[in-house]
Amino acid sequence: LLVFYIDDSKDCKQFSTVVSQLQAPYGRAASFIPVSADTLYDKPSDDPMEPGYYYEGLVPRSESIELKRRPINEINTELRSHI
């Protein structure tokens, strides 16, 4: 099962614990594979072996909405130094 997410989404972060808990009862019978939706915007695919084939522009949310690119001035561009 492919699980699409975006890193800066509160809903996706909350949903990640649900996905982690789902893996336990299935063991090796099923695999839950996280896929960052940010990596798929420019890579639609006609190949069923690629995650972009299944991505429809939605991520986990109480009421999913279509994702749209935001203008650069709305993206947090803060850089942090690692000391």
Side-chain angles (χ1 to χ4, degrees):
L1 176 67
L2 298 176
V3 180
F4 297 103
Y5 71 94
I6 50 178
D7 289 323
D8 61 348
S9 168
K10 176 183 157 189
D11 293 322
C12 289
K13 288 177 184 175
Q14 290 176 338
F15 188 69
S16 68
T17 59
V18 173
V19 173
S20 295
Q21 292 171 358
L22 284 174
Q23 184 67 62
Y26 288 98
R28 293 182 183 203
S31 295
F32 294 84
I33 303 167
V35 178
S36 174
D38 293 329
T39 64
L40 300 176
Y41 276 117
D42 298 327
K43 299 178 185 175
S45 176
D46 293 328
D47 181 357
M49 297 302 291
E50 295 293 324
Y53 179 82
Y54 302 97
Y55 183 62
E56 295 182 1
L58 304 173
V59 294
R61 191 178 169 95
S62 58
E63 292 183 31
S64 290
I65 57 172
E66 185 175 346
L67 294 177
K68 297 180 182 175
R69 286 195 178 268
R70 295 181 288 176
I72 189 70
N73 63 352
E74 291 183 28
I75 298 174
N76 183 356
T77 56
E78 176 183 330
L79 296 175
R80 297 181 185 167
S81 63
H82 299 286
I83 299 176

